[in-house]
Amino acid sequence: MSIELTPQTLDVLKNFSTINSSLLIRPGSVLRTISQTKNVIGRAAVSETFPSEFGIYDLSNFIGVLSSFENPVLTFSEETESDGTAKYVEISDKDGSGSFKYYGSPKNVLKFLTKDITMPEPALQFDLPKDVLTKCLKAATMSSLPNMVVQSEGENLELVVRNEEVDSSNEYRITLSDEGN
């Protein structure tokens, strides 16, 4: 079965690569990841339906391969070898101009969620546009600020990047409007 990977799913994979260097894709349309220290979890519903389980040891490398194709199409397969069955994905361009055979990794070398986690109802929901997040992450990186906090100033929400352990910390703030900024 072949699936055409959307730019949105590629963005999810890029985001997940900042949480964990590996990924176990399970059948269906939900991708999940967990950090090595088990303190950050990611879950994303995507438009593609993945046909089978597939382990990726080096997610950044996989993303690099995907990025070399304008419109990547993934075909999941397996082949029998003398030492067992090997899963792979054939990555090709939608126009068929080239392909890359990328072998999967066994589950025992990957860090992944073993069960789905049920989260409580959110106390607050808001939209965070990509450009606002990018600005905050840039400010955090440039100033070595480890914390990003959502706080209320009257009726407005603010996103503040600072060091919560230092009272006189430098900080970057941006107001989030009712429309999501």
Side-chain angles (χ1 to χ4, degrees), residues 57-159:
Y57 181 76
D58 186 344
L59 187 52
S60 293
N61 175 264
F62 185 73
I63 291 165
V65 171
L66 291 173
S67 298
S68 66
F69 295 92
E70 192 170 324
N71 297 302
V73 174
L74 283 62
T75 305
F76 292 85
S77 300
E78 56 184 54
E79 60 190 15
T80 304
E81 297 179 344
S82 59
D83 59 348
T85 302
K87 292 185 177 186
Y88 66 92
V89 61
E90 186 86 26
I91 304 165
S92 59
D93 237 332
K94 189 176 180 180
D95 66 6
S97 60
S99 68
F100 192 101
K101 193 174 190 178
Y102 195 98
Y103 282 92
S105 296
K107 287 169 58 168
N108 67 335
V109 298
L110 307 175
K111 181 71 146 186
F112 58 92
L113 279 171
T114 55
K115 60 183 177 184
D116 216 2
I117 295 176
T118 304
M119 300 297 289
E121 286 297 314
L124 173 70
Q125 281 187 290
F126 61 94
D127 291 329
L128 181 58
K130 186 176 182 178
D131 64 319
V132 172
L133 179 60
T134 300
K135 287 178 189 177
C136 289
L137 292 173
K138 185 175 181 181
T141 301
M142 288 185 330
S143 301
S144 299
L145 300 171
N147 306 109
M148 189 177 303
V149 179
V150 177
Q151 65 187 32
S152 173
E153 282 296 322
E155 298 206 8
N156 293 322
L157 283 180
E158 285 186 332
L159 196 56

Side-chain angles (χ1 to χ4, degrees), residues 3 14 17 21-22 29 45 55 57 72 136 156:
I3 58 172
K14 288 176 184 176
S17 73
S21 61
S22 63
S29 58
Y57 181 76
C136 289
N156 293 322

